[in-house]
Amino acid sequence: MKDIGAEEQMGPWLFKQLKFHLEQEWKYQPQEKGLSLIECTAENDNTLCPRLRNAKVEDLWSLTNFFGFAMETFVLAVNILDRFLALMKVKPKHLSCIGVCCFQLAARVVEEECNIPSLHDVIRISQCKCTVSDMKRMEKIISEKLHFDFKATTALTFLHLYHTIVLCHTSERKELLNLDKLEAQLKACNCRLVFSKAKPSILALCLLTLEVQTLKSIELFEIVLRVQKHSKISDSDLLYWRELVSKCLADYSSPACCKPDHKKLVWIVSRRTAQNLQNSYYSVPELPTIPEAGCFDESESEDSCEDMSCGEDSLSSSPRDLESTFFFDLKPKAKRKALF
């Protein structure tokens, strides 16, 4: 193992970034009091409960997959959602509109402007049953409540930093520590409200230490210990949250866990509707061969419906099929104001 006893030897720029984000993370954490109120809320038609919040996060995950957006967009959308829900008393009937607004706000921060879908298209795809004016109004409310501050430090920020630091100081094979696997596990944690109460730096380190524990690498373990010390994360905090993360991932891998099936997303749209959607949102089927006689079948009206597969998961699904394989080898460790 390379010597990482001094900060200068560990990559000054990486640790400068780490220090900056450690100082910033508290600004972007949802208010714990607001999250706790949601946690203890029973299900009814007038109040937001954990199950509804978690289901909405899975919808954000599927929207991110559908549009081919970055993992950062999904994590940022969840952060914006939780920060807002922890501040405001939200009725369940408004959650759908709030969710797609958070998705749009995150996409504007992360994605190229040319790839950001219109509000009209997001409403069609998400089936959120709100209007463009509803979304504009909700975006304004969310933006004002969060002071237009959306470039948040998240657990993904730390996961990438920690992963890079470890790879810079190990002689192990680089592919041994699989970042895709760590990101997929972070997505699963994002779908549980409780992990929004954890510091992003701690949540990221929990995922990293669990993976290193699985790999049984002494060298990686020693590097992670030094990263923990540099991040000033106590053993008690790490152990507490790591136990919860381990249980979450083990539960998620269990066949008993209620997960949606992994069917391909199929939109049934009329030809007229399809013409209004941008081509990048779905794969265009092959055109049929035109017979030489060239006759028109009048039974095919302009508004006839076609199956259009986007090649992604259903909006009710959680991780993609490939990602779901990242959970099967984990085992549990033994022993506000009113918005409307």
Side-chain angles (χ1 to χ4, degrees):
M1 181 181 71
K2 301 176 185 178
D3 181 14
I4 56 172
E7 181 173 323
E8 291 77 16
Q9 294 173 298
M10 297 173 72
W13 183 85
L14 286 174
F15 279 87
K16 184 178 179 181
Q17 288 293 305
L18 181 56
K19 181 181 178 182
F20 170 78
H21 288 297
L22 287 168
E23 292 171 350
Q24 293 290 313
E25 67 175 332
W26 67 271
K27 297 180 183 179
Y28 302 103
Q29 259 202 281
Q31 290 187 3
E32 186 172 351
K33 183 178 179 181
L35 294 179
S36 297
L37 286 173
I38 297 174
E39 268 190 316
C40 64
T41 300
E43 292 192 33
N44 60 64
D45 294 335
N46 297 316
T47 53
L48 181 66
C49 65
R51 183 187 65 79
L52 292 177
R53 177 270 177 196
N54 294 344
K56 183 49 55 183
V57 170
E58 291 194 354
D59 286 349
L60 294 178
W61 183 340
S62 295
L63 273 176
T64 304
N65 289 342
F66 182 86
F67 288 105
F69 286 168
M71 166 76 173
E72 186 182 354
T73 301
F74 166 72
V75 174
L76 187 57
V78 176
N79 176 266
I80 295 170
L81 176 68
D82 285 337
R83 284 161 61 197
F84 183 72
L85 296 182
L87 282 175
M88 309 299 293
K89 186 176 180 181
V90 171
K91 293 182 178 180
K93 65 181 180 180
H94 298 129
L95 186 58
S96 183
C97 182
I98 292 170
V100 291
C101 286
C102 293
F103 175 77
Q104 280 291 93
L105 291 168
R108 288 175 193 151
V109 173
V110 178
E111 307 295 337
E112 295 289 338
E113 186 176 356
C114 61
N115 294 330
I116 298 173
S118 68
L119 296 181
H120 184 71
D121 287 347
V122 171
I123 289 170
R124 284 175 180 267
I125 299 302
S126 66
Q127 303 176 13
C128 69
K129 297 180 181 179
C130 62
T131 64
V132 170
S133 60
D134 290 335
M135 281 191 66
K136 288 181 177 179
R137 175 171 171 264
M138 187 62 72
E139 279 188 12
K140 183 173 183 292
I141 294 171
I142 295 171
S143 299
E144 289 175 350
K145 292 301 177 183
L146 300 185
H147 309 290
F148 297 87
D149 195 1
F150 302 124
K151 294 183 179 179
T153 292
T154 66
L156 184 65
T157 308
F158 288 105
L159 192 61
H160 285 177
L161 272 172
Y162 291 154
H163 183 265
T164 304
I165 290 171
V166 171
L167 291 190
C168 283
H169 300 94
T170 181
S171 59
E172 299 273 10
R173 292 180 294 109
K174 303 297 183 184
E175 62 272 16
L176 192 64
L177 200 58
N178 189 330
L179 184 59
D180 288 340
K181 178 177 180 180
L182 293 169
E183 287 185 350
Q185 292 173 346
L186 176 59
K187 285 181 184 178
C189 291
N190 281 146
C191 291
R192 302 285 182 93
L193 177 64
V194 64
F195 293 111
S196 293
K197 298 169 74 173
K199 282 186 177 181
S201 57
I202 295 178
L203 179 56
L205 193 62
C206 286
L207 291 166
L208 192 62
T209 54
L210 283 170
E211 180 61 13
V212 168
Q213 180 179 304
T214 301
L215 295 172
K216 296 179 169 52
S217 169
I218 295 175
E219 182 188 42
L220 292 178
F221 179 71
E222 289 177 354
I223 297 173
V224 169
L225 281 179
R226 300 202 183 194
V227 170
Q228 177 190 346
K229 183 178 180 181
H230 189 92
S231 301
K232 298 179 181 178
I233 296 173
S234 69
D235 287 342
S236 58
D237 284 342
L238 184 63
L239 289 171
Y240 173 79
W241 286 106
R242 191 169 67 183
E243 187 75 22
L244 292 179
V245 170
S246 179
K247 186 178 186 306
C248 169
L249 299 182
D251 289 346
Y252 205 88
S253 71
S254 169
C257 178
C258 182
K259 295 189 289 289
D261 57 17
H262 300 290
K263 293 179 180 177
K264 296 297 182 182
L265 179 59
V266 176
W267 295 105
I268 309 300
V269 296
S270 69
R271 290 181 177 178
R272 184 176 296 165
T273 300
Q275 290 170 359
N276 294 328
L277 291 173
Q278 295 185 22
N279 290 336
S280 60
Y281 298 160
Y282 52 81
S283 57
V284 180
E286 289 185 4
L287 294 174
T289 303
I290 301 175
E292 291 185 25
C295 61
F296 175 71
D297 184 357
E298 292 185 355
S299 64
E300 249 187 283
S301 69
E302 183 178 346
D303 287 327
S304 65
C305 291
E306 297 176 311
D307 289 356
M308 312 194 78
S309 172
C310 73
E312 299 293 346
D313 292 331
S314 145
L315 281 184
S316 65
S317 72
S318 22
R320 284 172 281 188
D321 293 334
L322 176 62
E323 292 170 338
S324 65
T325 63
F326 293 149
F327 302 93
F328 294 128
D329 56 356
L330 287 165
K331 302 205 181 291
K333 298 175 80 176
K335 293 244 160 163
R336 17 227 209 71
K337 307 169 197 172
L339 176 57
F340 296 101

